[in-house]
Amino acid sequence: MPPAGPRSGDAIFASIERVNAELFTLTYGAIVRQLLTDLEEVEEVNKQLDQMGYNIGIRLIDEFLAKSNVSRCVDFKETAEVIAKVGFKMFLGVTASVTNWDADGTCCSIVLEDNPLVDFVELPDTCQGLYYCNILSGVIRGALEMVSMKTEVTWLRDMLRGDDAYELQVKLLKQVPEEYPYKDDE
Amino acid sequence: MQFFGGSEISPSPPAPTATGNNAHMMYVFNRDGVCLFYREWNRPLHTLNPPQDHKLMFGLLFSLKSLTAKMDPTSAEKGNRGVPQLPGQGCSFHSFRTNTYKLSFLESPSGIKIILVTHPRTGDLRNSLKYIYNLYVEYVVKNPLYAPGTPIRCELFNTTLDQYVRSIA
């Protein structure tokens, strides 16, 4: 019997164990506040959030692949669609959309209408320059690296800074196919 | 099968096909060729020491994947000779059988390769391997004490795996 095909984001979101949204938002807020207290520099906190996201992403990818049953995407366009429709839906419960493709198909924007990380959050004047949701950019970067894609993920629009939506720019730098890892020494 | 926290592993485990312990051994490799996990239940013949054995197994699979992709008669595109493929791209082989054993293989797009060697009359184990991949995610990937890329030393993973494998082969 051949294995089952890929599942939709809604189906997976409905079937996996979920955590209370407020608990999630408040826990994330506590992490960011603690980082601000420990590191003091807003740039350092941005970097640290990205690193934490990266560490999450390298593990998240296996869970994503196991639960969603997607096979390897044919091109980067499909990858972006899968991240927006299945990935975000499965883990955060929100649907994202993909826009702004460039001519080669290596750079696109993922737009989130709503973002559970930022409920109840307002940035004070001392923290202008903070990318509050920077963990998400690290997660995407880490996860894509484990499927052989080196990417650069940055925030274009951030509602906490006054824009009207959350927009992440995902740029594919290169595909790194796996090589035979052992040296021919025997 | 219920786990800590009550989440259901999906797909739900395939129905057991036979009783008894007919699985011989299992390997898990990551994309860099590191043998994350090796377990043997029934392997009377050892020809190589473990590091060589792991290298041989990984090399075999790497070559087999490459060979099966190149020999694909249905593939429309020419493909690039000599360019290594991304994991999961092109056609992927899933098992081979000899007169004494059957080797079943699953590779995820993230490069995690799961190999299970069983007796030759075993049926298609693709769903079982998927289930084992789910076990890997639940017990190893989600374990904060496990560092990715290092050999797996999780007792809970070992026990659940033993229990599951006993039910399939």
Side-chain angles (χ1 to χ4, degrees):
Chain A
M1 182 178 64
R7 304 169 68 200
S8 76
D10 292 312
I12 312 169
F13 187 64
S15 66
I16 58 179
E17 197 180 59
R18 278 160 281 170
V19 75
N20 180 300
E22 274 161 29
L23 176 65
F24 179 63
T25 308
L26 293 174
T27 307
Y28 184 68
I31 293 176
V32 179
R33 284 201 51 174
Q34 191 59 47
L35 283 174
L36 281 167
T37 318
D38 290 340
L39 301 171
E40 286 166 25
E41 284 280 309
V42 161
E43 264 320 301
E44 277 304 310
V45 176
N46 285 340
K47 266 204 296 213
Q48 189 71 316
L49 282 173
D50 185 80
Q51 185 57 36
M52 284 167 64
Y54 179 81
N55 292 335
I56 293 177
I58 61 181
R59 296 178 189 241
L60 199 90
I61 183 67
D62 278 315
E63 181 176 3
F64 175 73
L65 291 170
K67 298 225 158 81
S68 69
N69 238 341
V70 297
S71 52
R72 172 155 283 276
C73 296
V74 173
D75 56 14
F76 190 61
K77 286 203 155 111
E78 200 185 329
T79 307
E81 284 294 322
V82 165
I83 294 176
K85 299 281 178 288
V86 187
F88 272 101
K89 184 71 199 175
M90 186 171 146
F91 291 109
L92 291 179
V94 299
T95 349
S97 51
V98 186
T99 52
N100 278 355
W101 279 104
D102 75 340
D104 319 311
T106 55
C107 184
C108 67
S109 291
I110 296 184
V111 179
L112 292 163
E113 297 298 321
D114 107 90
N115 185 345
L117 293 172
V118 303
D119 291 338
F120 328 126
V121 175
E122 256 176 42
L123 284 186
D125 296 322
T126 50
C127 298
Q128 299 303 316
L130 177 69
Y131 284 112
Y132 188 81
C133 309
N134 219 25
I135 208 168
L136 292 177
S137 58
V139 172
I140 295 179
R141 185 171 65 90
L144 287 178
E145 189 165 312
M146 295 308 276
V147 282
S148 321
M149 287 182 241
K150 275 208 146 11
T151 52
E152 197 183 295
V153 186
T154 43
W155 286 99
L156 291 181
R157 280 190 287 169
D158 190 337
M159 271 168 114
L160 294 176
R161 292 173 162 212
D163 301 311
D164 51 353
Y166 293 96
E167 187 174 337
L168 268 170
Q169 183 187 65
V170 185
K171 187 163 149 163
L172 175 67
L173 299 173
K174 63 177 184 161
Q175 303 248 20
V176 193
E178 61 179 33
E179 298 172 342
Y180 189 66
Y182 305 122
K183 295 189 286 290
D184 292 322
D185 46 300
E186 49 186 38
Chain B
M1 203 174 225
Q2 293 299 311
F3 288 85
F4 173 80
S7 60
E8 284 263 327
I9 294 264
S10 112
S12 50
T17 49
T19 55
N21 196 3
N22 283 326
H24 294 285
M25 63 241 198
M26 182 171 134
Y27 298 78
V28 178
F29 290 99
N30 75 353
R31 58 214 300 253
D32 301 319
V34 176
C35 181
L36 301 179
F37 188 74
Y38 169 68
R39 195 128 174 108
E40 78 184 32
W41 294 282
N42 177 18
R43 188 182 188 179
L45 175 68
H46 288 95
T47 45
L48 300 168
N49 64 34
Q52 285 181 322
D53 183 57
H54 302 326
K55 264 188 166 183
L56 178 68
M57 180 58 78
F58 186 80
L60 166 74
L61 295 167
F62 197 87
S63 313
L64 264 177
K65 264 195 313 171
S66 180
L67 175 80
T68 50
K70 293 205 171 71
M71 298 269 288
D72 187 357
T74 64
S75 163
E77 55 169 58
K78 199 157 159 232
N80 292 322
R81 297 290 156 80
V83 173
Q85 295 226 307
L86 301 172
Q89 199 177 35
C91 77
S92 52
F93 95 95
H94 48 83
S95 60
F96 71 73
R97 199 196 313 244
T98 70
N99 53 340
T100 46
Y101 66 90
K102 177 177 183 178
L103 183 144
S104 307
F105 174 69
L106 175 77
E107 183 176 25
S108 78
S110 57
I112 300 292
K113 304 172 191 11
I114 302 182
I115 296 105
L116 190 60
V117 179
T118 54
H119 72 83
R121 286 175 314 285
T122 320
D124 186 1
L125 283 181
R126 272 182 287 178
N127 283 329
S128 303
L129 288 177
K130 271 242 80 180
Y131 187 75
I132 294 178
Y133 184 47
N134 275 285
L135 285 183
Y136 165 77
V137 164
E138 290 295 317
Y139 287 105
V140 178
V141 171
K142 289 189 176 177
N143 183 347
L145 300 177
Y146 168 71
T150 58
I152 298 171
R153 307 231 184 281
C154 306
E155 267 319 303
L156 216 46
F157 178 62
N158 293 351
T159 6
T160 328
L161 184 71
D162 281 347
Q163 213 181 348
Y164 176 63
V165 168
R166 208 163 301 136
S167 73
I168 48 164

